[in-house]
Amino acid sequence: MLVPLKQKSSGGRRPKKKIYHRVHELDRVMDLQKKPSVILHLKAIIQSQKNQHLLLRDLEKQVGFVQKWNFMAVIEKYPSIFHVDAGSSMPPSVTLTEKARKVACEEAESRELMEPVLVKNLRKLLMMSVDCRVPLEKIEFIENELGLPSDFKKSLIPKYPEFFSVKDVNGKAYLHLENWDSSLAVTAREERLTCEGVLPSNPPKKKVRISKDGNFFGPFAFKICFPTGFRANVSYLDELERWQRMQFPSPYLNARRFEAADPKARKRVVAMLHELLSLTMERRLTSIQLDAFHSEYLLPSRLLLCLIKHHGIFYITNKGVRSTVFLKEAYNDSHLTDKCPLLLFRDKFIALSGRREINLCNEMTS
């Protein structure tokens, strides 16, 4: 990705272009998810049928004519997961194998383990918004990334009236926060620093310099992961050190209280984006999904440039149908370091295919 930067004319020479360094390990994540997403989608379709059998002739109705061939290829390629029943008197249908059904039964348990996590993350999502409310349609837009069940409006929200309520505002349904919990107003960045022994009330006694990789030991610092091939010069590191030392307001404070041009408010925006991605299962969202929350979180109008500027924290990949924004510190090469119960279940189900590159969770493999 080449990002043109406006510069003054220099004797007729072409202006320099800033190179956006690729992180091939994160690009690979998008490639690795293609087959698993089809497998899990087909599993969900089969399970939604009354008799747990899907007629092959109905597959096109479910996924469309073009996608049908991708699903047919998966059915043929993974007989350990999908079984085709082609009886003489009945039209051919596909179902889960006995082994796949046993593993699929564990999904209910993983959903139960996920529920308190989902409730906590939904509350944090609402607490960060300027009015402590978010349109339901926008939460539905990222429900898969959050790990919410497809029927969360009926199965989850009504169970917790002390936390949530759905109200109509100008003809649109909004999810409202019913009460504020200060104990939840702690970001994932702050939790990591606490585990590392870095506290705002206990700053390092010795003057610490920033390392060449951009990381700084301080209470207001972010984890930096420069891409391979990027070499930071002295002036860049000096500027980054000043930024890492700079205090900034919490993302859980109302954004209306701060001037957008204030450097501290700009750093708060970075913390806001960091926290939003941290609330998702795989620490990533598409750029369109992030754009959808501009008004709720008062995100900058030039959001893409903000993400590109802080390329040591975020990574934008154009792999896939839409560009996707990653939280870099959450990944070790192509592997997500911390997985929720639902992702562990999905890894276990995908492992039935026998493809090592799909099974990203070594724990489940063993």
Side-chain angles (χ1 to χ4, degrees):
M1 182 185 295
L2 298 179
V3 184
L5 298 178
K6 293 182 180 180
Q7 294 184 351
K8 294 181 179 179
S9 176
S10 55
R13 290 182 299 174
R14 290 183 179 180
K16 292 183 179 181
K17 291 185 177 180
K18 183 177 179 181
I19 299 176
Y20 189 74
H21 293 268
R22 285 283 167 212
V23 181
H24 298 291
E25 295 82 3
L26 295 181
D27 287 339
R28 186 169 178 262
V29 172
M30 304 304 295
D31 292 329
L32 289 174
Q33 73 163 3
K34 291 178 181 178
K35 281 290 187 276
S37 63
V38 175
I39 292 172
L40 293 170
H41 189 185
L42 183 56
K43 175 189 79 71
I45 294 174
I46 293 173
Q47 290 180 313
S48 67
Q49 306 301 308
K50 290 183 179 180
N51 57 358
Q52 303 285 298
H53 282 71
L54 173 66
L55 296 178
L56 291 180
R57 68 188 182 192
D58 294 335
L59 185 58
E60 185 176 330
K61 299 177 184 177
Q62 297 283 346
V63 299
F65 177 76
V66 176
Q67 286 296 321
K68 176 184 73 172
W69 303 109
N70 291 332
F71 283 80
M72 292 293 288
V74 163
I75 292 171
E76 182 180 1
K77 192 171 184 179
Y78 302 114
S80 58
I81 300 178
F82 304 109
H83 171 69
V84 177
D85 188 2
S88 57
S89 59
M90 295 291 293
S93 63
V94 60
T95 186
L96 296 177
T97 63
E98 184 65 29
K99 191 173 184 179
R101 279 198 295 269
K102 289 181 180 178
V103 177
C105 290
E106 299 178 17
E107 183 174 7
E109 181 182 355
S110 68
R111 290 283 182 185
E112 289 181 9
L113 294 173
M114 279 291 293
E115 187 164 310
V117 178
L118 294 176
V119 172
K120 175 185 175 182
N121 288 350
L122 268 182
R123 294 172 69 190
K124 290 168 76 74
L125 200 69
L126 295 174
M127 287 170 63
M128 283 192 293
S129 64
V130 290
D131 295 314
C132 291
R133 69 184 187 194
V134 174
L136 265 178
E137 62 182 16
K138 294 190 178 183
I139 294 179
E140 289 179 285
F141 191 37
I142 61 170
E143 66 179 24
N144 291 329
E145 286 70 20
L146 293 174
L148 291 169
S150 57
D151 63 342
F152 76 95
K153 291 186 291 184
K154 296 180 180 179
S155 63
L156 184 67
I157 301 301
K159 287 176 65 175
Y160 300 92
E162 68 275 21
F163 299 144
F164 311 113
S165 65
V166 178
K167 299 177 183 178
D168 186 274
V169 180
N170 298 326
K172 183 182 291 187
Y174 279 75
L175 184 64
H176 284 247
L177 181 72
E178 284 300 303
N179 62 73
W180 181 276
D181 188 348
S182 299
S183 65
L184 296 181
V186 180
T187 64
R189 184 195 66 87
E190 291 170 325
E191 290 177 353
R192 176 182 62 81
L193 290 176
T194 300
C195 292
E196 295 174 357
V198 183
L199 300 172
S201 58
N202 185 28
K205 295 180 180 179
K206 296 182 180 180
K207 186 177 181 180
V208 181
R209 293 286 298 176
I210 194 168
S211 60
K212 291 183 179 180
D213 62 3
N215 286 296
F216 179 77
F217 190 76
F220 302 102
F222 286 79
K223 180 73 175 293
I224 301 294
C225 307
F226 285 140
T228 304
F230 178 79
R231 297 291 181 267
N233 56 33
V234 176
S235 61
Y236 183 93
L237 289 175
D238 288 342
E239 182 182 351
L240 181 59
E241 180 178 346
R242 289 192 294 270
W243 187 83
Q244 289 277 51
R245 289 179 180 275
M246 182 172 59
Q247 300 184 21
F248 63 94
S250 169
Y252 289 95
L253 295 177
N254 198 308
R256 292 196 182 101
R257 296 169 54 181
F258 313 108
E259 291 291 334
D262 186 349
K264 293 183 179 180
R266 291 178 179 176
K267 189 173 181 181
R268 178 191 173 277
V269 169
V270 175
M272 169 75 72
L273 295 170
H274 185 287
E275 186 70 357
L276 281 175
L277 294 174
S278 297
L279 295 179
T280 63
M281 287 198 301
E282 297 179 280
R283 312 302 190 270
R284 68 178 192 237
L285 287 170
T286 66
S287 56
I288 295 178
Q289 288 172 326
L290 277 176
D291 277 334
F293 291 91
H294 264 288
S295 57
E296 284 72 29
Y297 301 107
L298 298 187
L299 297 177
S301 57
R302 304 176 75 181
L303 180 58
L304 179 62
L305 289 181
C306 175
L307 294 168
I308 291 174
K309 181 180 179 181
H310 299 283
H311 61 103
I313 303 173
F314 311 109
Y315 177 66
I316 308 171
T317 178
N318 289 328
K319 289 279 188 177
V321 179
R322 297 180 179 88
S323 61
T324 302
V325 181
F326 283 84
L327 183 61
K328 296 178 76 171
E329 68 182 61
Y331 285 81
N332 180 15
D333 292 333
S334 300
H335 308 288
L336 185 66
T337 55
D338 185 19
K339 294 194 176 186
C340 65
L342 187 57
L343 289 181
L344 292 176
F345 159 75
R346 290 178 179 175
D347 280 351
K348 187 173 183 179
F349 188 85
I350 296 300
L352 295 173
S353 67
R355 290 183 58 184
R356 294 183 180 179
E357 64 268 28
I358 291 179
N359 183 18
L360 301 180
C361 180
N362 295 329
E363 180 182 349
M364 297 309 297
T365 304
S366 62

